Amino acid sequence: MIYLKLMPNNSIKGASRNLRELSVATEVGYKITVVSADIDIIDGEYKYIYSGVRHLTYDIPKLNRIGMIISDNKSLIRKLRKIDKDVISCHNITALFIGWMSTWFISKKRKPKLIYDSHEFEIGRSGDRSRAEKWFITHLERFLIKRCAFSIMVNNSIADEVQRIHKLKQRPIVVRSTPNLWNIDETIIKQKRHELLSVLGVSDDTFTIMYHGGIMNNRGIESVIELVSMNPNIVGIILGNGDAKYMESLKSLTVQKGVSDRILFHPAVSIDELWKYVGAADAGMVIIRNVCTSYYYSLPNKFFENIQSLTPIIGSDFPEIRRIVNEYGIGLLCDPSDLIAMNDCVEKMRTDGVFYESCKLGLVKAKEDLCWENEKKVLIEVYGNLIKEINE
């Protein structure tokens, strides 16, 4: 049984969720081929991600308009038709459209099954889409999703909205972006904390907030800088990579606010090393701005990575973040546009030791529950059922 993972505008490098999903497909019994846009690898040549997983890459232009999909990907579609496959798992709406087109004129008996594995709320994404493009994408998703064996969404709110908007009989399957259960070492975390705070020239007991993840606009990074500027009792760490121009604007902001000596910018680290850094902070800042519906319904990787590192969370008061923070008692919620409310959260964590320890206790329970070892059980079932259906 051959499983083709189609990621035409995304790199497999650093795609931790995709790699976890591929490991589940392998576990169930699929042979894997990945098609993605790692353009630094020779175009069209197979490499191996890990044993048995073939990786075929193409230099594919970034698509800004849905109408460019056909004209820019004729060659890819022709090549996909020649690849043996029983299942095509599509990373986003672009991939789903390309995957669906690659099945044209294939007999019903031999036609590969489509999986729509959407990592965002596609209809609710921001960007430069016109009203006509938004209308087209909504109707395109409705048309394609009904031609899939099943679809996967990253949380309940998005699954519910997609089912409601498209009037689906079958609710999308929910698989959250949880990491594996991390085995952390508190001694190593303390050493890393000392190392990081030494760079800032402050003592190890200085209250430390951290943003980690992609350095992008509307992720609340400016708010971290503003918080440090208004609260002399804290320091901040910004861990991740981003566009050089945007990074420079953030560093300029720290100078403007007079906190360049209390904000540490650190490049991204590997997923295997991440717990050492995230665990070194006193509070993880998951303060995404409400700039689009996709962000409002988000439940990002960094949220679960804080949980796995046992780091209390200060998060945006959005539905999915709120649900887990309240259920497990692992942090505080605030309006991500309200700096005063955000600072109140920081101060409560910094000064209320009883509350802070209760968050730590809640994290122990959340860490055991919200891990890939539990989350992947849904995938094992649906992938296994799909094999049975194909073999019937």
Side-chain angles (χ1 to χ4, degrees), residues 23-173:
S23 71
V24 174
T26 303
E27 181 181 338
V28 171
Y30 291 96
K31 293 181 179 179
I32 311 293
T33 297
V34 176
V35 173
S36 76
D38 293 289
I39 60 176
D40 57 326
I41 301 177
I42 298 173
D43 185 50
E45 180 180 339
Y46 276 117
K47 300 290 182 180
Y48 284 83
I49 301 172
Y50 55 83
S51 178
V53 177
R54 298 195 306 171
H55 183 200
L56 185 61
T57 65
Y58 294 98
D59 183 356
I60 304 169
K62 181 176 178 61
L63 301 177
N64 294 316
R65 296 182 182 276
I66 201 78
M68 296 167 59
I69 293 177
I70 298 176
S71 61
D72 285 356
N73 289 280
K74 287 180 181 177
S75 174
L76 173 58
I77 292 165
R78 284 195 298 268
K79 290 175 182 178
L80 287 176
R81 290 177 65 83
K82 297 176 182 179
I83 298 174
D84 287 338
K85 55 202 173 293
D86 299 291
V87 173
I88 307 176
S89 177
C90 305
H91 175 83
N92 54 25
I93 190 66
T94 303
L96 184 58
F97 194 18
I98 292 170
W100 172 69
M101 286 190 294
S102 76
T103 68
W104 287 2
F105 311 117
I106 298 176
S107 67
K108 186 176 181 180
K109 187 175 181 180
R110 296 181 56 246
K111 194 182 290 287
K113 300 287 187 181
L114 292 172
I115 299 172
Y116 182 32
D117 183 15
S118 180
H119 292 196
E120 290 190 64
F121 182 36
E122 184 66 44
I123 298 170
R125 285 176 56 190
S126 61
D128 59 353
R129 293 170 176 167
S130 67
R131 181 177 298 179
E133 286 171 330
K134 290 176 182 177
W135 180 93
F136 179 71
I137 288 169
T138 300
H139 286 77
L140 177 66
E141 185 177 65
R142 180 175 302 158
F143 173 82
L144 293 174
I145 203 170
K146 292 180 180 180
R147 283 151 179 80
C148 294
F150 57 86
S151 56
I152 304 171
M153 301 295 155
V154 293
N155 63 52
N156 287 297
S157 291
I158 294 175
D160 290 340
E161 277 296 283
V162 169
Q163 183 179 29
R164 180 188 65 80
I165 290 168
H166 298 318
K167 300 179 174 61
L168 302 177
K169 294 180 181 178
Q170 179 184 348
R171 182 176 184 260
I173 292 154

Side-chain angles (χ1 to χ4, degrees), residues 319-334:
E320 291 295 322
I321 294 173
R322 180 193 312 128
R323 186 180 313 188
I324 294 176
V325 167
N326 288 343
E327 179 181 353
Y328 290 94
I330 56 175
L332 293 168
L333 301 165
C334 62

